[in-house]
Amino acid sequence: MKSSQIKVSDIGEKGLIERIIERSKTCSACGVNSMDHKGAVLDFATSIGDDSALTDIRIDDNSYLVSSSDMLIESSHFPYEMSYFQMGYKSVVVNVSDLASMGADNIGFLLNMAIPKDMLLEDFDDLICGVIRACDNYDIPLIGGDTNQANEIILSGTAIGQVHKDKALMKYGFEVGDLVCISGELGLAALGFELLNLKQILNNNLFEMVDIEEKIKKAYEIDSTLCDMAIFKALKPEAKYGEGHILRDCNNNENRVSATDITDGIASEFYEILNSDKSHFLFDNEENERTYAKGIRIYEDKLPVEDEFKQIANVLGIDYLDLFLHVGEDFELVFTINKELKEQLSSDMNFYVIGEITDNDTVEMVLSNGDMEKISPRGYQHLE
Amino acid sequence: MKSSQIKVSDIGEKGLIERIIERSKTCSACGVNSMDHKGAVLDFATSIGDDSALTDIRIDDNSYLVSSSDMLIESSHFPYEMSYFQMGYKSVVVNVSDLASMGADNIGFLLNMAIPKDMLLEDFDDLICGVIRACDNYDIPLIGGDTNQANEIILSGTAIGQVHKDKALMKYGFEVGDLVCISGELGLAALGFELLNLKQILNNNLFEMVDIEEKIKKAYEIDSTLCDMAIFKALKPEAKYGEGHILRDCNNNENRVSATDITDGIASEFYEILNSDKSHFLFDNEENERTYAKGIRIYEDKLPVEDEFKQIANVLGIDYLDLFLHVGEDFELVFTINKELKEQLSSDMNFYVIGEITDNDTVEMVLSNGDMEKISPRGYQHLE
């Protein structure tokens, strides 16, 4: 049998797990040599093949254990043209992103996967390579997990970390006048998903082919680099791990930082941020619900959006603000800081101030023409 | 709309998560009031709705962080007649069992789930009730997770705990002459799965109906209580959490304990135990592979198997030893102890000594007729 025709069912569950362990030690195919890393793999070696992973880590009185778990399902989360490597990579990113947005330091990553039994072994290897490369990039050892069989690829990850109690970046904890910021451009991944969807329809010869071909052509004519970047961001997102740490280090007695990562669209995150702050306020103060009235105002003119982005959205027949506000998957951080922190933070990381915390109990945007518009919370939700 | 007709898609992902959080606090339907419990829920309250769960726990120099992650998929892991409650319950048990077999104390449980969009809300509630009841029984707070959509139910859990470094129950660490023990009867769950399979075939009117009806009838005539117990063990397994702690506490300077839980059949675990011990031996000693020669011998006459169990297996056309050795899913512990520990341990927990560690590099059984038989490693593997 040619090696390219070997299926995962030819080597079975235990063979696959051995393959993962072997590759997680030294994976030259992935450009990774985990043995170089701070002893994490050696700690893991104590418990390789045992019932649970043992990690030699200290968590003291001043720190929280931080854990987050997210599942990716092929039919929902992996767009057209996503490679097996990118699927594996993304399974780490979505979980590390949740830790990054708390300002946590990574401890370990566990991955449960289900794959079809006729998956080619070389595709499985690519997927694992993606997982290991991401673990290496984010300095989080792969410490456990299992493999199962299903009709589609399912990657369920858990990231474990720790953070100093006083420095954890919560969704809550801001005051009226604090600045609302994002760690990078938003809407790129959303645009990438749109372009990939169109390519898929085109490739499947479904309908309206000429029209769609024309749309894609026009988009690339406007700015082919931007189109490629958008697709790349949809296929291989990154977590803002370093930025999370910078923000955490600023969260001290003198300054005030809250943060979350943008997975379902920033509009939906705005509502979550306010809800979280409100719950925390009521929990601490036992006051009437109506006494809480914080809101968020952003400004269209402050959004980091290139003209070409707007033009491309336009030829695709989409409101660019929809891409910016309501889609997500960029894994950028949205965070608030007290005004005084702005200058100091500017020297440490790139970010955009797009608005501020208000006292008027609403989420709104000042449009370029001066009009005020309420922002609705709709973001992407599963099971709708 | 009648409440019994509401589907999960009618309330969406965020509504479901709120429902889980609400129920995890006080679930009278599940007979659980988590608020009574040692502050775990209050710790969780700090981070409810945030990106990650924050847990206020100390792990000192003398302890390991223990983590384990296991995925259950409807078509593979949930037998016929399993209720939604039992599915949820099992998702906790399989993960707690991995912690129990290391002797770890539970810290927290995360659950990623995927469910069909047309699942009834009352079935979803039953599933969550099962999760919460199990978390309550095993004293492990539900601290995080997410919900997704798929064609079948997928429950991917992660259990986090901690254990004293010197007391962790590894698969390795036994000497020739140590006793091989199990924490309870084996094969019951396997028999339950067989009976449930037959019932399913019968119910689906597939084939050989008269023959199958006759087999089930005969099995129940031999011992209906045993048949019911077997089915119950297949549908609602329990983890040996308390037993894991008792064994851990015995693992000290004077005594020697190794342990693992039986998920894929004890025969397959025997080979894993020996492999683990061999790897550890080679890792520590840098010796030639051939210098390691430990083996396991068990005795048919010492197996805790009732005559009725053998008779029922017989009318079903199965070798009872196959049920005992090669199926698993009982979640009992298989462990080794030094001989001197036997008497002390007997006063603390129920267990059966079924054999011993030998120096002859094989896994074998002394049959009742005096013959010696080699035990093959085949256990259940996915993706074969």
Side-chain angles (χ1 to χ4, degrees):
Chain A
M1 200 183 318
K2 270 194 198 169
S3 70
S4 63
Q5 291 170 340
I6 299 174
K7 292 178 180 159
V8 291
S9 51
D10 294 325
I11 64 169
E13 188 180 3
K14 293 189 180 179
L16 293 176
I17 290 177
E18 279 166 23
R19 214 169 166 89
I20 297 169
I21 292 172
E22 209 42 59
R23 281 179 179 247
S24 72
K25 289 185 205 159
T26 312
C27 183
S28 58
C30 319
V32 168
N33 184 350
S34 311
M35 286 303 188
D36 297 339
H37 282 235
K38 55 173 191 182
V41 172
L42 194 66
D43 289 342
F44 177 34
T46 319
S47 59
I48 280 182
D50 222 306
D51 301 298
S52 305
L54 300 183
T55 309
D56 195 355
I57 193 90
R58 255 140 306 290
I59 298 180
D60 64 21
D61 274 333
N62 300 316
S63 297
Y64 286 123
L65 176 74
V66 186
S67 50
S68 183
S69 209
D70 259 324
M71 183 187 269
L72 300 179
I73 298 177
E74 191 174 0
S75 53
S76 302
H77 299 96
F78 300 142
Y80 181 66
E81 283 192 358
M82 185 175 242
S83 68
Y84 291 100
F85 180 94
Q86 290 164 337
M87 294 177 194
Y89 198 93
K90 186 175 178 181
S91 74
V92 180
V93 166
V94 295
N95 284 288
V96 166
S97 179
D98 279 327
L99 255 55
S101 65
M102 309 292 288
D105 288 315
N106 290 334
I107 292 177
F109 181 66
L110 300 101
L111 181 66
N112 289 337
M113 65 178 95
I115 50 177
K117 63 193 285 191
D118 60 355
M119 184 179 190
L120 292 177
L121 188 59
E122 61 178 3
D123 294 337
F124 175 81
D125 285 346
D126 283 345
L127 194 155
I128 295 305
C129 242
V131 172
I132 293 168
R133 174 71 76 84
C135 285
D136 191 58
N137 281 359
Y138 295 108
D139 223 358
I140 186 168
L142 178 65
I143 57 172
D146 72 349
T147 62
N148 298 276
Q149 186 184 314
N151 294 328
E152 58 178 331
I153 297 173
I154 298 159
L155 302 177
S156 178
T158 304
I160 302 175
Q162 67 169 312
V163 68
H164 194 284
K165 283 178 186 173
D166 296 336
K167 290 186 164 291
L169 302 173
M170 309 305 294
K171 285 185 178 175
Y172 59 82
F174 40 80
E175 302 296 337
V176 174
D178 281 1
L179 304 176
V180 174
C181 316
I182 52 179
S183 61
E185 293 178 38
L186 286 189
L188 266 184
L191 177 61
F193 281 112
E194 286 294 333
L195 288 168
L196 289 168
N197 278 342
L198 293 178
K199 286 188 175 192
Q200 183 173 21
I201 294 170
L202 196 63
N203 201 44
N204 291 347
N205 291 347
L206 290 182
F207 50 84
E208 289 185 283
M209 272 181 44
V210 179
D211 181 40
I212 286 172
E213 207 165 356
E214 190 62 24
K215 279 183 179 175
I216 296 176
K217 197 177 149 212
K218 276 188 187 165
Y220 273 81
E221 277 169 6
I222 293 167
D223 191 336
S224 65
T225 310
L226 190 62
C227 289
D228 286 341
M229 272 175 55
I231 287 176
F232 190 71
K233 193 145 188 194
L235 294 177
K236 190 160 173 288
E238 300 283 353
K240 293 285 173 170
Y241 190 55
E243 287 79 355
H245 287 179
I246 292 169
L247 291 171
R248 169 199 69 192
D249 292 339
C250 294
N251 195 20
N252 52 31
N253 291 336
E254 287 165 39
N255 291 298
R256 191 169 52 239
V257 186
S258 80
T260 187
D261 63 336
I262 306 168
T263 53
D264 300 326
I266 194 171
S268 133
E269 306 296 351
F270 283 154
Y271 282 85
E272 293 217 355
I273 289 165
L274 291 175
N275 273 335
S276 169
D277 197 63
K278 186 177 189 172
S279 304
H280 198 69
F281 172 80
L282 297 174
F283 190 80
D284 279 354
N285 297 282
E286 292 183 10
E287 287 189 52
N288 189 298
E289 212 163 298
R290 278 173 297 178
T291 58
Y292 183 92
K294 285 180 214 163
I296 290 172
R297 181 185 303 132
I298 64 172
Y299 299 86
E300 185 177 12
D301 283 347
K302 293 188 176 182
L303 305 184
V305 177
E306 298 174 46
D307 281 343
E308 291 79 3
F309 182 88
K310 295 179 189 174
Q311 291 164 24
I312 291 172
N314 195 39
V315 301
L316 299 181
I318 311 164
D319 184 346
Y320 90 92
L321 283 173
D322 258 354
L323 296 180
F324 190 95
L325 293 172
H326 298 298
V327 183
E329 291 277 325
D330 283 292
F331 298 99
E332 296 293 342
L333 301 177
V334 51
F335 58 96
T336 66
I337 55 173
N338 53 307
K339 276 183 178 163
E340 298 75 20
L341 181 56
K342 184 183 168 190
E343 198 178 320
Q344 178 197 324
L345 193 60
S346 300
S347 63
D348 293 333
M349 64 180 264
N350 291 323
F351 65 98
Y352 304 91
V353 178
I354 61 169
E356 71 257 342
I357 301 293
T358 67
D359 59 359
N360 68 357
D361 197 18
T362 187
V363 179
E364 62 197 8
M365 176 158 56
V366 181
L367 298 175
S368 299
N369 64 12
D371 286 354
M372 189 80 90
E373 196 171 75
K374 192 168 183 300
I375 297 175
S376 86
R378 77 191 152 83
Y380 185 75
Q381 274 201 58
H382 295 287
L383 293 160
E384 274 192 327
Chain B
M1 199 184 318
K2 269 194 197 168
S3 70
S4 64
Q5 290 169 342
I6 299 174
K7 292 178 180 158
V8 291
S9 52
D10 294 323
I11 64 168
E13 187 181 3
K14 292 188 180 177
L16 293 177
I17 289 177
E18 278 166 24
R19 216 169 164 90
I20 297 169
I21 292 171
E22 210 40 59
R23 282 179 180 246
S24 71
K25 289 183 204 159
T26 313
C27 183
S28 59
C30 320
V32 169
N33 185 350
S34 311
M35 288 302 187
D36 297 339
H37 281 234
K38 52 174 191 182
V41 172
L42 194 64
D43 290 340
F44 177 34
T46 318
S47 60
I48 279 181
D50 222 305
D51 301 298
S52 305
L54 300 182
T55 310
D56 196 356
I57 193 91
R58 256 139 307 289
I59 298 179
D60 64 21
D61 274 333
N62 300 317
S63 296
Y64 286 124
L65 177 73
V66 185
S67 51
S68 183
S69 208
D70 259 323
M71 182 186 269
L72 300 180
I73 298 178
E74 190 174 0
S75 52
S76 302
H77 299 97
F78 299 142
Y80 181 67
E81 283 193 357
M82 185 175 243
S83 68
Y84 291 99
F85 180 94
Q86 290 166 336
M87 293 177 196
Y89 198 92
K90 186 175 177 181
S91 73
V92 181
V93 166
V94 295
N95 284 289
V96 166
S97 179
D98 279 327
L99 256 56
S101 65
M102 309 292 288
D105 288 316
N106 290 335
I107 291 176
F109 181 66
L110 299 100
L111 182 66
N112 290 339
M113 65 178 94
I115 50 177
K117 64 193 286 189
D118 61 355
M119 184 179 189
L120 293 177
L121 188 60
E122 62 178 3
D123 293 338
F124 175 82
D125 285 345
D126 283 345
L127 194 154
I128 295 305
C129 242
V131 172
I132 293 169
R133 173 72 74 85
C135 285
D136 191 61
N137 281 357
Y138 295 108
D139 222 358
I140 186 167
L142 178 66
I143 57 173
D146 72 350
T147 62
N148 297 276
Q149 186 184 312
N151 294 328
E152 58 178 330
I153 297 172
I154 299 160
L155 303 176
S156 178
T158 303
I160 302 175
Q162 68 170 310
V163 68
H164 194 285
K165 283 178 185 173
D166 297 336
K167 291 186 164 291
L169 302 173
M170 309 306 293
K171 284 185 180 176
Y172 59 80
F174 39 80
E175 302 295 337
V176 174
D178 280 1
L179 303 177
V180 174
C181 316
I182 51 178
S183 61
E185 293 178 37
L186 286 190
L188 265 184
L191 177 62
F193 281 113
E194 286 293 333
L195 288 168
L196 289 167
N197 278 342
L198 293 178
K199 285 187 175 193
Q200 183 173 19
I201 294 171
L202 195 64
N203 202 44
N204 291 348
N205 290 347
L206 291 181
F207 48 85
E208 289 185 285
M209 273 181 42
V210 179
D211 182 39
I212 286 171
E213 206 165 355
E214 189 62 24
K215 278 183 179 174
I216 297 175
K217 197 177 149 210
K218 277 188 186 164
Y220 273 81
E221 276 169 6
I222 293 167
D223 192 335
S224 64
T225 310
L226 189 61
C227 290
D228 286 340
M229 272 175 55
I231 287 175
F232 189 71
K233 193 148 188 192
L235 295 177
K236 191 159 173 289
E238 299 284 353
K240 293 285 174 170
Y241 190 55
E243 287 79 355
H245 287 180
I246 292 169
L247 290 171
R248 170 198 69 192
D249 293 339
C250 295
N251 195 21
N252 52 30
N253 291 336
E254 287 166 38
N255 291 299
R256 191 169 51 238
V257 186
S258 81
T260 187
D261 62 335
I262 304 168
T263 54
D264 300 325
I266 195 172
S268 135
E269 306 295 351
F270 283 155
Y271 281 85
E272 293 216 356
I273 288 165
L274 291 174
N275 273 335
S276 170
D277 196 63
K278 186 177 188 170
S279 305
H280 198 69
F281 172 80
L282 296 174
F283 190 80
D284 279 354
N285 297 281
E286 292 183 12
E287 287 188 54
N288 189 297
E289 213 164 297
R290 275 173 299 179
T291 58
Y292 183 92
K294 284 179 214 164
I296 290 172
R297 181 185 302 132
I298 64 170
Y299 299 85
E300 185 178 11
D301 282 348
K302 292 188 176 181
L303 305 184
V305 177
E306 298 174 46
D307 280 342
E308 290 79 1
F309 182 87
K310 296 179 188 175
Q311 291 164 23
I312 290 172
N314 195 39
V315 301
L316 298 182
I318 311 164
D319 183 346
Y320 90 92
L321 282 174
D322 259 354
L323 296 179
F324 190 93
L325 294 171
H326 298 298
V327 183
E329 291 277 325
D330 282 293
F331 298 98
E332 295 293 341
L333 302 176
V334 50
F335 58 96
T336 66
I337 55 172
N338 54 307
K339 276 184 178 164
E340 299 75 18
L341 180 56
K342 184 182 167 189
E343 198 178 320
Q344 178 197 324
L345 193 60
S346 300
S347 63
D348 293 333
M349 65 180 264
N350 290 324
F351 66 98
Y352 303 92
V353 177
I354 61 169
E356 71 258 340
I357 301 293
T358 66
D359 58 0
N360 67 358
D361 197 20
T362 188
V363 179
E364 61 196 10
M365 175 158 55
V366 180
L367 298 175
S368 299
N369 65 12
D371 287 352
M372 190 80 88
E373 195 172 75
K374 193 169 181 301
I375 297 176
S376 87
R378 77 190 152 81
Y380 185 75
Q381 275 201 55
H382 295 288
L383 293 160
E384 276 193 325

